Amino acid sequence: MEWVGDARLAAGPEATWYLEAAFTPGAQLGTAYDDPTTPVVVTRVEEVTTMRVPSGRLVVDAPCDDDDVWRYERGLPTRPPRELAVTIPPGVYRVEIAWTAGPYEFFGEYFDGTECAATRLCISDDPVVGWEMGLSVEDDIDRLQPGEEPRFGADANVGCFADAGAWTTLSAPFRAYVDGSPVPRDTEQLTNGCERVRDESQQADLVTFEAESGGVVWLGRTKTGDVAAIVVTSGMAGAKA
């Protein structure tokens, strides 16, 4: 029997098109915001790293929250991370970023306009037949309003994938503050500002990525309903994907 998703979570035509085009090199996603003659084109899909998810439970959230800095400093409890309601097979998965370019000129200086179109965790290489929003364990599908897209916020425009079972250890470097300022963290520096934290005691990882204003999580489902990809699109709430 083929997978049939819940219509309340299904990606609309525009989001579906974007999710499929964003990881297709050469695809045009739109035009520059101030120049309709300049196309914004997917230039490449880059493998950033791989990450371990031994628990099969995944957090997709910001690694820290500006509103909780005072709690970090005092060692007080903070809100739980945004753990996805769906689980995945324990394993090691690729993290990929789709990049676009839309050249522009600003005060006589020219820029290539490179931007992150979307970030994905590749669970399998099976074809995706449909997309749906990835709810968290805290979300209630019966309370979703038409058109609402649950998302995580990101004060510093940084999101992450992380093994939920090791979250406390993995997120700790991002939550070390003294007198309101972050303490320099000893993390593994990856390409384009991404970072990785490893918890060798649990063989688990956290990987950060660019997430302007946070992001919406999408699940790419195969014809059997298995999750083949977990994709984050970011930008201001209410904007196009």
Side-chain angles (χ1 to χ4, degrees), residues 122-216:
C122 301
I123 310 304
S124 79
D125 293 323
D126 294 337
V128 170
V129 301
W131 295 92
E132 65 179 16
M133 290 180 290
L135 298 183
S136 77
V137 294
E138 302 282 330
D139 291 325
D140 183 348
I141 189 173
D142 292 325
R143 294 187 177 183
L144 277 183
Q145 299 299 310
E148 181 182 359
E149 295 179 344
R151 58 189 291 123
F152 67 88
D155 298 319
N157 297 330
V158 175
C160 71
F161 295 122
D163 182 273
W167 173 254
T168 299
T169 300
L170 294 172
S171 62
F174 301 91
R175 299 176 171 221
Y177 281 78
V178 174
D179 296 330
S181 297
V183 174
R185 53 183 178 264
D186 183 19
T187 59
E188 181 181 354
Q189 301 299 302
L190 306 173
T191 184
N192 293 293
C194 298
E195 299 174 66
R196 176 167 53 192
V197 180
R198 297 176 180 269
D199 180 349
E200 295 302 343
S201 68
Q202 299 190 59
Q203 296 289 294
D205 298 326
L206 175 153
V207 174
T208 69
F209 52 83
E210 179 183 328
E212 183 182 351
S213 302
V216 179

Side-chain angles (χ1 to χ4, degrees), residues 23-185:
F23 290 92
T24 305
Q28 181 177 339
L29 298 187
T31 58
Y33 77 96
D34 61 349
D35 181 5
T37 66
T38 299
V40 173
V41 176
V42 180
T43 55
R44 71 188 192 280
V45 176
E46 177 183 20
E47 181 177 331
V48 176
T49 188
T50 58
M51 64 172 290
R52 300 168 295 180
V53 189
S55 72
R57 296 163 45 217
L58 189 70
V59 168
V60 188
D61 202 349
C64 60
D65 187 332
D66 284 355
D67 291 339
D68 278 339
V69 167
W70 68 277
R71 293 186 177 90
Y72 301 154
E73 291 188 320
R74 293 165 176 77
L76 298 175
T78 60
R79 67 171 179 82
R82 191 175 192 275
E83 179 183 341
L84 297 187
V86 69
T87 58
I88 57 178
V92 180
Y93 301 110
R94 302 190 313 275
V95 178
E96 297 180 341
I97 295 178
W99 295 101
T100 61
Y104 65 95
E105 178 265 339
F106 186 70
F107 284 99
E109 191 172 356
Y110 290 87
F111 301 87
D112 60 11
T114 298
E115 299 286 350
C116 169
T119 305
R120 73 179 171 189
L121 189 67
C122 301
I123 310 304
S124 79
D125 293 323
D126 294 337
V128 170
V129 301
W131 295 92
E132 65 179 16
M133 290 180 290
L135 298 183
S136 77
V137 294
E138 302 282 330
D139 291 325
D140 183 348
I141 189 173
D142 292 325
R143 294 187 177 183
L144 277 183
Q145 299 299 310
E148 181 182 359
E149 295 179 344
R151 58 189 291 123
F152 67 88
D155 298 319
N157 297 330
V158 175
C160 71
F161 295 122
D163 182 273
W167 173 254
T168 299
T169 300
L170 294 172
S171 62
F174 301 91
R175 299 176 171 221
Y177 281 78
V178 174
D179 296 330
S181 297
V183 174
R185 53 183 178 264

